[in-house]
Amino acid sequence: MTPLEAEIRAMIEIDGPMPIARYMALCATHPAHGYYMTRDPFGARADFVTAPEISQMFGELIGLWAVTVWRMMGAPDAVRLVELGPGRGTLMSDALRAARIVPAFRDVLHVHLVEMSPVLRRRQEQALAAAGVACMWHTDVADVPDGPAIVIANEFFDALPVHQAVRAPDGWHERMVGLNGDLVFALHPTPLPGNFASGRARLVGDAPVGAVCEWRSEAMVRTLAGRLARQGGAALIIDYGHLKSAVGETLQAVADHRFADPLDAPGEADLTAHVDFQALGDAAAREGARQHGPLPQGEFLRRLGIAERAGKLKARATAEQSAAIGAAFDRLTGRGADQMGELFKAMAIADPELPPLPGFETGAAS
Ligand code: SAH
């Protein structure tokens, strides 16, 4: 039994079953035993690989995206470049290197990293030590000081806790984690209040008994959107997920590159669920921000010029390096089930005064 499982069992014995979202939050960020708090999951024995770890092209293109957005903002003489959940710091390091070609941008930058994990924070400090830009760390996005901001979040929202509810004949019941010898899923005995379904009428109205509905707290995206709408700037959100809200269950656990049971070995597996981009966009709109996209990651990266960038890198590469660049390009942009181009989506939320942002000039994917 993992140390976190022992703690979760004790909590359930005292307080009764807990919502899946609470379980997921403990698994990810419990101060002593949370998955991200205790390890670098992107290391040599990596559980999973993210886009910035696949190729430097990803962070570089995002760095140039940030430069263009800064210009669209009227090139303010101070701008906060914020990353949520920076992992190993690779994306930010590649972005800052690419942004060197515009010294005027680098001169006005304040870099802020929002990270709860002390282990990953140390890793980020190492990655950014040579970047030549002062960096500040925060545990919560609400702690980033005021001012115009450009925010990047790659594979951040998928790690935030989701709630689940299951349709029963008498309404929707929240799915909980309880104890029956082992940790088990169990429905809350009382249905969720009627406004749960009425607020999602189009989504859950005629879902059959047994259907599962997932949702996340909107607190994080609303903090971000409200700030951008009032103080200027834009956020780029890239994650795996769906363009439109849909009924269905996507919670998954990954350990050692393999799918695992989410209730097995809490704190030892990465728990994630699809990002509902429609819900993110709607929440941002309620705070007065404008939504750009979403569109598939492959399309977004092509519009930012990834093919040209790959071509340039290949031109000065050995045959072996060139093959690796080609493979990374395919992985980032391809439409296959094991590729990221179609599965992952890119969306921005921004100050409504800003024109269409780079990559999002036309809404529909071509
Ligand atoms: N963006 C990185 C890492 C993605 S993994 C990449 O693409 O490689 C998720 C990241 O979010 C990790 O750095 C994790 O520690 C952080 N994280 C997860 N939940 C968080 C929370 N509630 N607040 C702040 N950071 C969080």
Side-chain angles (χ1 to χ4, degrees), residues 28-29 36-37 41-42 48-53 58 83-91 114-117 120 124 138-141 153-156 158-161 220 270:
T29 55
Y36 287 111
M37 307 302 267
F42 319 99
F48 56 93
V49 183
T50 57
E53 304 300 329
F58 189 79
E83 187 176 357
L84 310 183
R88 308 187 96 191
T90 308
L91 191 162
V114 178
E115 177 59 70
M116 287 192 74
S117 161
L120 289 173
Q124 293 155 19
H138 314 272
T139 49
D140 190 326
V141 65
N154 185 63
E155 290 212 47
F156 175 72
D158 69 346
L160 297 186
M220 188 90 76
D270 183 42

Side-chain angles (χ1 to χ4, degrees), residues 321-362:
Q321 288 166 336
S322 191
I325 294 162
F329 175 86
D330 290 345
R331 183 97 186 266
L332 292 175
T333 63
R335 297 198 162 88
D338 55 351
Q339 296 171 315
M340 304 176 85
E342 200 69 25
L343 195 58
F344 281 67
K345 316 293 189 291
M347 183 174 97
I349 55 177
D351 174 356
E353 304 284 313
L354 290 178
L357 301 176
F360 300 106
E361 290 87 353
T362 55

